Amino acid sequence: LQCLSSAYHLYGPECIVGSFNGGKDAVVIMHLMRAAHAKYYHDQIAKQQISNGPYPNIVRPRAIYFESNDEYPEIQHLVRTTVSDYNLEMLSFDSKFSFWDALKILVDGHQPRQMAFVLGTRTADPNSKTQGLFAPSSEYMPPFMRLNPALYWSYGQVWHFLRLFHLPYCSLYDEGYTSLGTIHDTLPCPALARPQGGYWPAYMLSDWDQERAGRIPKKKKKKDNDDDVKRKLMTPAAATASGDDASKESESTTSAATTETNVKVEGDTNQNHQVNGDNGDKLSEGDESSYRTDDDATALQKTAGLIIIGDEILKGLTPDTNTQSAAVAFRLKNVLLSRVVVVADEMNEIVEEINRMRKEVAVIVTSGGVGPTHDDVTMYSVGTALASELVIHEEMANFLLQKMGAQGNGDAELSDAQIKMATLPRNSKLLYLAGKDQWPIVRCRNIYVLPGVPQFFQQQVELIASHLATDLEKVVSCKLVLSVEETKIVNALNQVVRDHPHATLGSYPFVEHPEFKTVVTIEAKEGPTFPGEGRCSVIKRRNSMLENLSTEDMAFPASPSEEGVTRGNSLNSSFDSCTQMGLFTREERDMHVKLAMDDLIRTLPEGSVLRLENNDGLC
């Protein structure tokens, strides 16, 4: 809105035109433009009242639209009703007009004043390139300013805005379309396919990189005639989502039948209508039609435990930020942080917790207690827990000397404090994950010993998370952002929990949040819990599988292999062992989440789902 407010101040409402093609981004910028339009005249009238001057001459919000023979009726209907319902002045150009000629007519008609076009370009669009909120047209185009008020909006924010304010959008989006092109190049988004058939609405897409997965790449298009293409789009598989998309190609705007509020311009019959305009002078959702899919490798998560060491944490003298840093880093790399414990600077307590955690997780990360002072006892504790004597680690000692040399003290010997820092368990290994000249991470078998200083800890735990990560898939999960309070969905949640024992649901209220009230998460369980078992039993089965996947560089805690499981290093052998281990495959977990989500959204209050979030926080 600040971008548009500045534009109205610079150009005035007569010289600002919104590109409205019926796509979701166009709907967003049209309503933002309406708000800025109203605010402009509100301020102008207030000024005139103070000065007792005449009221300004009020013009309606203006929009531009290019007709196309390849639009869907649903798009045409939205454009017509939007123009009528919101009293827009629509400048509609006949399909015989080229994009360049139409812009030239408008620009020349406003000389000497400069025009500005409000576009729906977002950074996710290939045609956004280096555009900013204000982007002058290219040299070969008529001179005008491009305004991109939604440039930095995500796919999720677009849908949150539309759903939060109950703004009308094209009905094709409710049929599984996520990016609208023409009738020749658009299909429903495959990522929205429901297990029972059909498609979820566009706002249910969680992997926003798949926004244009339903667009048919031009380079892969076959040389079929129009009738053949239409028949293919209307096959049973596509028909569920059909009404197939009416979106626009890169620079064309939607086809709206003219109403009495429109200004219609007809062109010469020998002119070709160009739908591609200036490098990103976007008058529609664009021509972005990439279909990206991730590798569907199947494997299991590694499990990690975190031990926060420090009296200052337990006494409340300093906040614990390292837990959040570790949780975010591990989640991004598909490492399951399953246990976090805070202990005092007492060796016996640390040893006890290490021994307990080694039975439950694959790797342990410690935070704090690695300095040169008397209360830094982490290394002694790790050595005791692993029955490994402490020695002066030659490699660490040399590293410390080199670091001192870099500071101009190359001939200096190690001080007592540095000797303590070089004293490590005998089986320690230094990992130079940030480069040979950077401080190494100490690993003792499956224990990674990190400093407690938050900035250093965050840097190193992110490196460890990447080090532990393999080609394992992400956790199968989804996160629904809702506009209703948690108390209104309790019965629906309880029913889904009862009906879907292989999925874990979490509900998080946001009482004072102005944009949403509840976030619900659904995650797939890695395996069923058999009679008499708990969650730890699933973890043990997982760790047994991970033992089969261990490499020379990764040491996992010893755990007996279950009978009948063949050891192997390949992901294929681990996949074949899933059933024997009592663990779900990737496909099974994906299905469990989809079925639970499908049941949940069917029972939630109508209109309460704002979007599916895909970040790693709750808000």
Side-chain angles (χ1 to χ4, degrees):
L1 285 175
Q2 184 59 50
C3 166
L4 288 171
S5 179
S6 299
Y8 269 81
H9 175 71
L10 291 171
Y11 302 102
E14 301 86 357
C15 295
I16 294 180
V17 179
S19 168
F20 187 64
N21 66 1
K24 61 183 183 299
D25 299 330
V27 174
V28 166
I29 61 104
M30 182 53 61
H31 287 289
L32 291 176
M33 181 177 163
R34 289 180 56 242
H37 194 89
K39 179 67 164 55
Y40 173 84
Y41 280 114
H42 175 274
D43 293 345
Q44 291 298 312
I45 291 173
K47 291 178 182 178
Q48 295 301 329
Q49 289 176 337
I50 294 175
S51 62
N52 293 321
Y55 273 26
N57 180 32
I58 298 178
V59 300
R60 292 175 294 167
R62 308 177 74 194
I64 187 173
Y65 155 77
F66 287 85
E67 292 188 359
S68 170
N69 297 325
D70 296 331
E71 297 292 359
Y72 279 96
E74 292 86 348
I75 286 285
Q76 296 173 345
H77 174 73
L78 176 70
V79 174
R80 283 197 302 268
T81 55
T82 300
V83 168
S84 174
D85 292 346
Y86 298 103
N87 195 25
L88 305 179
E89 180 184 347
M90 177 65 78
L91 307 175
S92 176
F93 282 87
D94 184 89
S95 60
K96 306 301 189 299
F97 267 88
S98 72
F99 178 78
W100 189 93
D101 287 339
L103 291 179
K104 182 169 176 55
I105 290 172
L106 291 176
V107 170
D108 290 348
H110 285 77
Q111 294 292 351
R113 300 181 65 182
Q114 187 181 24
M115 290 199 69
F117 290 89
V118 186
L119 310 177
T121 302
R122 291 187 288 118
T123 53
D125 300 338
N127 63 349
S128 65
K129 295 186 177 178
T130 57
Q131 290 192 43
L133 296 176
F134 287 75
S137 60
S138 298
E139 292 183 0
Y140 64 87
M141 296 295 291
F144 61 88
M145 182 64 69
R146 293 172 291 193
L147 306 176
N148 302 311
L151 184 66
Y152 301 111
W153 287 37
S154 68
Y155 178 90
Q157 288 172 325
V158 167
W159 280 111
H160 192 123
F161 178 79
L162 297 177
R163 302 277 297 170
L164 180 65
F165 295 106
H166 306 286
L167 300 174
Y169 52 83
C170 179
S171 61
L172 292 175
Y173 288 116
D174 285 336
E175 299 177 15
Y177 296 89
T178 51
S179 175
L180 297 179
T182 70
I183 60 175
H184 305 296
D185 64 7
T186 315
L187 294 170
C189 180
L192 289 173
R194 298 171 65 246
Q196 302 90 336
Y199 294 85
W200 281 306
Y203 55 81
M204 296 297 293
L205 183 66
S206 60
D207 183 359
W208 299 340
D209 289 338
Q210 297 290 327
E211 178 181 355
R212 290 170 179 81
R215 299 291 289 275
I216 301 174
K218 287 185 176 181
K219 62 182 180 180
K220 294 183 180 180
K221 274 182 160 181
K222 296 181 180 179
K223 301 299 182 179
D224 298 328
N225 59 45
D226 289 350
D227 291 338
D228 289 339
V229 174
K230 290 178 183 177
R231 280 196 295 271
K232 288 179 180 179
L233 293 180
M234 294 303 295
T235 57
T240 320
S242 181
D244 262 20
D245 289 15
S247 106
K248 349 254 51 333
E249 299 242 25
S250 173
E251 304 277 39
S252 98
T253 9
T254 87
S255 59
T258 31
T259 70
E260 65 273 9
T261 60
N262 292 351
V263 178
K264 185 176 176 82
V265 185
E266 296 185 355
D268 297 334
T269 57
N270 61 351
Q271 288 186 303
N272 295 324
H273 174 53
Q274 298 177 359
V275 293
N276 293 323
D278 176 26
N279 299 335
D281 291 342
K282 173 180 171 185
L283 294 181
S284 74
E285 285 196 356
D287 171 15
E288 314 86 36
S289 51
S290 60
Y291 190 160
R292 187 189 65 80
T293 57
D294 297 324
D295 292 338
D296 201 22
T298 300
L300 300 173
Q301 285 183 288
K302 293 179 176 66
T303 54
L306 174 63
I307 302 177
I308 303 291
I309 301 167
D311 291 342
E312 68 278 9
I313 300 295
L314 291 172
K315 294 177 180 179
L317 300 177
T318 186
D320 169 28
T321 60
N322 290 348
T323 295
Q324 183 181 18
S325 297
V328 171
F330 285 147
R331 183 175 178 85
L332 288 176
K333 296 300 182 181
N334 193 37
V335 178
L336 177 64
L337 181 61
S338 62
R339 184 176 177 84
V340 179
V341 178
V342 182
V343 298
D345 293 307
E346 296 289 341
M347 190 171 75
N348 291 339
E349 292 187 25
I350 300 172
V351 171
E352 181 180 352
E353 192 54 50
I354 289 175
N355 288 331
R356 181 186 300 113
M357 199 173 282
R358 289 179 64 209
K359 300 174 183 178
E360 300 179 2
V361 298
V363 295
I364 298 173
V365 175
T366 68
S367 164
V370 294
T373 61
H374 69 284
D375 58 349
D376 292 313
V377 296
T378 299
M379 288 299 181
Y380 296 99
S381 304
V382 171
T384 301
L386 299 178
S388 177
E389 65 174 325
L390 270 68
V391 298
I392 295 180
H393 196 282
E394 182 178 355
E395 185 180 351
M396 176 60 88
N398 290 334
F399 178 84
L400 291 171
L401 283 174
Q402 291 173 4
K403 276 296 182 183
M404 293 174 63
Q407 298 174 3
N409 301 318
D411 297 331
E413 295 182 356
L414 291 176
S415 65
D416 290 342
Q418 291 160 340
I419 289 176
K420 182 177 180 181
M421 294 174 66
T423 302
L424 308 176
R426 181 179 295 276
N427 58 4
S428 298
K429 180 178 180 181
L430 303 186
L431 303 179
Y432 297 90
L433 301 182
K436 272 291 184 180
D437 59 338
Q438 300 299 314
W439 199 274
I441 296 173
V442 177
R443 191 187 77 192
C444 308
R445 295 185 187 170
N446 66 316
I447 302 174
Y448 295 79
V449 184
L450 271 59
V453 180
Q455 58 264 41
F456 298 146
F457 177 86
Q458 181 176 358
Q459 294 170 2
Q460 294 197 3
V461 79
E462 290 174 353
L463 293 171
I464 290 173
S466 298
H467 176 66
L468 297 176
T470 63
D471 292 332
L472 305 182
E473 76 221 54
K474 278 192 158 186
V475 177
V476 181
S477 64
C478 70
K479 187 187 311 175
L480 288 86
V481 181
L482 307 179
S483 62
V484 294
E485 296 177 354
E486 185 183 44
T487 54
K488 295 183 179 180
I489 63 170
V490 172
N491 291 338
L493 286 174
N494 290 340
Q495 186 61 48
V496 173
V497 169
R498 287 192 292 268
D499 294 344
H500 298 274
H502 301 322
T504 300
L505 275 75
S507 179
Y508 307 90
F510 290 81
V511 180
E512 302 296 332
H513 202 286
E515 296 180 3
F516 56 89
K517 299 303 178 186
T518 309
V519 172
V520 174
T521 61
I522 307 176
E523 289 194 358
K525 294 182 179 179
E526 294 186 43
T529 52
F530 302 123
E533 289 187 334
R535 181 171 178 268
C536 289
S537 299
V538 180
I539 293 176
K540 288 178 181 178
R541 293 201 298 273
R542 181 207 305 112
N543 288 347
S544 183
M545 172 75 80
L546 288 171
E547 186 180 4
N548 293 335
L549 295 174
S550 62
T551 62
E552 182 178 355
D553 191 48
M554 271 294 303
F556 296 106
S559 62
S561 299
E562 296 197 11
E563 186 176 354
V565 178
T566 303
R567 289 180 174 272
N569 291 324
S570 70
L571 292 179
N572 289 333
S573 64
S574 70
F575 177 77
D576 293 337
S577 300
C578 279
T579 302
Q580 300 178 58
M581 300 301 299
L583 298 165
F584 295 128
T585 65
R586 167 67 170 80
E587 291 76 12
E588 289 172 327
R589 284 178 282 145
D590 182 63
M591 183 62 67
H592 294 156
V593 167
K594 287 184 175 180
L595 290 173
M597 180 174 67
D598 199 53
D599 278 358
L600 180 61
I601 63 176
R602 285 192 297 103
T603 55
L604 290 173
E606 183 177 356
S608 61
V609 179
L610 296 174
R611 69 176 190 273
L612 254 69
E613 184 57 80
N614 69 355
N615 64 27
D616 288 279
L618 284 177
C619 57

